[in-house]
């Protein structure tokens, strides 16, 4: 089976590994030499994503590239502790969520994709896709340099602004501003407790911080603003004004030694078409979720796609099975992510209600509410080794 993957980030590299595990001939076409995204941005891989890394052969390397974070703590604007729960797992799970720079996750996955025999071509952008001549003959992917590549399967792993999504369905939804923009950075010289990922529900949005083993503090401000700002005007001074009511976020920002390029947050309505007989979407191209699950869901997608193609009698049957397997779980995750986003953009009355309800929820209901997410069994061990 000849596979063309468009996009070489987390979703594309993971799909390349998984499809090589079932013996496919894989070429990844990536627009950028380094698809890791804004320098310095960090992410977490929850235990469901870590379990997806195991059949890909990358689990231990990813764990070495980052650091385990056993706990997550939620704080009110005033500094009141709203919840202290296991981070990205259920209580008692020996596997702990891993936080790492996005660039390091992409690097580990790309290196494994290359070791597995995938080919990576950079500097190319998809412009369209058409069925190859003859019934059941596959698909031809067209790139902006005029090249056409024939394949049995085209995998769109090209993110939020996916060209593959548009090629698959001209009426597909387009991203829209989500009412949040993001700024991340690194602070030094602060003596903060290790082992916890902290989220402050501030008056102006949310503020995340996690102390790293080297003594630095990684932070991210998720600023609520109904109108997308001019990112050139976003500065530490502006953030300090927005977070002037939150003492610890102010301290962390004041100790910053590096601030990374701000980005706008976007949301995407449900994508009605994930696949046809020869094209399929994975990761953010089909379902951006956020809420700390973007990377984990993309990793799950890669494993399930390979699993269903390996089991199916044909590529079209495998793609249909993939969509059936993934849609209910992703829809549930998208709803949870929407609730998470709403909590960060809440007004004064909603903030007061949130601060009353959250301690009760985390104390009594968190485990039952998240078991579906963290105990998911992907049920796949590839027959083809690395």
């Amino acid at each position: 089976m000849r596979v063309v993957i468009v996009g070489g980030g987390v979703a594309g590299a993971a799909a390349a590994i998984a499809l090589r595990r079932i013996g496919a001939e894989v070429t990844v076409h990536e627009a950028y030499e380094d698809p890791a995204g804004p320098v310095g941005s960090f992410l977490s891989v929850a235990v469901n994503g870590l379990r997806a890394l195991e059949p890909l052969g990358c689990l231990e390397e990813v764990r070495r590239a980052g650091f385990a974070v056993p706990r997550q703590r939620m704080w009110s604007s005033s500094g009141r502790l709203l919840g202290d729960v296991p981070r990205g797992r259920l209580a008692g799970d020996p596997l702990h969520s891993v936080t790492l720079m996005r660039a390091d996750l992409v690097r580990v996955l790309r290196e494994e994709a290359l070791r597995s025999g995938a080919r990576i071509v950079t500097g190319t952008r998809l412009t369209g896709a058409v069925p190859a001549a003859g019934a059941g003959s596959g698909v031809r992917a067209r790139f902006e340099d005029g090249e056409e590549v024939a394949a049995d399967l085209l995998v769109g792993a090209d993110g939020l602004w996916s060209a593959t999504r548009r090629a698959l369905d001209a009426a597909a939804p387009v991203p829209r501003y989500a009412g949040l923009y993001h700024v991340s950075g690194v602070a030094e010289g602060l003596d903060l407790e290790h082992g916890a990922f902290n989220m402050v529900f501030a008056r102006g949005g949310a503020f995340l911080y996690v102390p790293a083993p080297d003594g630095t503090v990684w932070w991210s401000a998720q600023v609520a603003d109904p109108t997308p700002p001019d990112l050139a005007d976003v500065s530490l001074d502006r953030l300090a004004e927005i977070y002037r009511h939150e003492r610890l976020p102010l301290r962390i920002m004041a100790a910053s030694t590096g601030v990374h390029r701000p980005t706008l947050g976007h949301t995407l309505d449900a994508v009605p078409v994930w696949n046809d007989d020869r094209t399929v979407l994975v990761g953010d191209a089909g379902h951006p979720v956020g809420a700390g699950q973007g990377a984990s869901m993309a990793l799950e997608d890669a494993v399930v796609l390979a699993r269903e193609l390996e089991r199916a009698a044909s590529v079209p049957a495998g793609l249909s099975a993939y969509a059936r397997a993934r849609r209910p779980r992703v829809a549930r995750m998208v709803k949870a992510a929407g609730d998470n986003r709403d909590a960060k953009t809440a007004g004064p009355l909603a903030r007061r209600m949130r601060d009353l309800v959250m301690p009760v929820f985390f104390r009594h209901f968190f485990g039952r509410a998240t078991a579906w997410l963290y105990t998911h069994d992907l049920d796949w061990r590839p027959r083809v080794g690395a």
Side-chain angles (χ1 to χ4, degrees):
M1 178 171 57
R2 296 164 301 166
V3 179
V4 168
I5 298 175
V6 180
V10 173
I17 300 166
L19 293 170
R20 282 296 300 145
R21 294 289 193 266
I22 64 170
E25 177 187 321
V26 177
T27 302
V28 179
H29 289 259
E30 167 57 47
Y32 303 101
E33 183 66 31
D34 179 6
V39 174
S41 60
F42 62 93
L43 55 78
S44 294
V45 183
V47 295
N48 55 301
L50 294 175
R51 292 192 176 98
L53 286 167
E54 193 167 15
L56 301 182
C58 301
L59 176 57
E60 293 308 317
E61 190 64 27
V62 168
R63 294 173 80 178
R64 284 191 291 270
F67 54 94
V69 183
R71 308 295 300 176
Q72 174 158 329
R73 294 180 181 138
M74 280 66 62
W75 306 87
S76 71
S77 175
S78 65
R80 176 189 171 209
L81 182 63
L82 302 175
D84 183 346
V85 296
R87 168 72 176 166
R89 64 187 176 98
L90 296 183
D93 193 325
L95 194 59
H96 290 175
S97 172
V98 171
T99 295
L100 72 169
M101 290 296 174
R102 185 174 188 275
D104 288 332
L105 178 58
V106 173
R107 172 185 55 79
V108 169
L109 292 171
R110 289 188 83 182
E111 289 174 355
E112 181 59 31
L114 289 169
R115 275 196 298 269
S116 299
R119 179 170 167 256
I120 298 178
V121 179
T122 59
T124 60
R125 294 176 183 271
L126 185 78
T127 59
V130 296
S137 298
V139 63
R140 296 190 69 85
R142 294 173 174 170
F143 294 89
E144 62 183 2
D145 59 2
E147 182 183 13
E148 284 197 6
V149 180
D152 300 301
L153 171 62
L154 174 63
V155 179
D158 43 350
L160 185 64
W161 302 94
S162 172
T164 315
R165 186 197 311 129
R166 295 193 300 273
L168 190 59
D169 177 14
V174 296
R176 66 180 189 277
Y177 177 60
L180 289 166
Y181 65 91
H182 308 266
V183 188
S184 63
V186 177
E188 297 183 5
L190 298 168
D191 185 16
L192 299 179
E193 182 183 356
H194 295 119
F197 191 103
N198 298 271
M199 178 182 293
V200 179
F201 288 99
R203 297 189 189 185
F207 188 90
L208 318 178
Y209 68 93
V210 55
D214 64 0
T216 61
V217 176
W218 298 0
W219 62 266
S220 175
Q222 300 183 355
V223 183
D225 192 333
T227 303
D230 182 348
L231 296 180
D233 293 336
V234 177
S235 64
L236 272 178
D237 288 342
R238 178 170 175 170
L239 292 178
E241 173 62 21
I242 293 168
Y243 291 94
R244 63 189 181 277
H245 302 287
E246 288 79 36
R247 187 176 304 172
L248 187 53
L250 279 177
R251 278 186 58 208
I252 293 171
M253 288 188 288
S256 294
T257 56
V259 178
H260 312 298
R261 177 170 61 85
T263 58
L264 297 178
H266 290 87
T267 187
L268 185 72
D269 290 339
V271 176
V273 180
W274 277 19
N275 67 284
D276 61 15
D277 283 352
R278 296 290 174 171
T279 303
V280 68
L281 304 176
V282 296
D284 284 355
H287 53 76
V289 292
Q293 276 286 327
S296 294
M297 286 289 137
L299 293 167
E300 285 189 12
D301 281 355
V303 169
V304 174
L305 178 61
R307 182 191 77 192
E308 297 303 331
L309 286 169
E310 184 180 52
R311 293 174 177 176
S314 66
V315 170
L319 299 187
S320 295
Y322 161 80
R324 287 195 303 271
R326 293 300 290 158
R327 275 194 179 275
R329 181 167 170 81
V330 166
R332 193 170 182 179
M333 187 63 241
V334 167
K335 184 183 183 304
D339 294 341
N340 180 282
R341 185 171 57 250
D342 291 345
K344 297 172 184 176
T345 58
L349 179 60
R351 286 200 302 268
R352 287 195 291 272
M353 289 299 299
R354 178 195 63 206
D355 291 355
L356 288 172
V357 170
M358 273 192 172
V360 177
F361 170 78
F362 287 120
R363 189 177 305 118
H364 298 291
F365 304 108
F366 174 79
R368 278 177 288 173
T370 56
W372 69 273
L373 179 60
Y374 298 134
T375 62
H376 186 59
D377 184 3
L378 292 168
D379 185 28
W380 185 62
R381 292 295 179 271
R383 289 194 293 264
V384 178

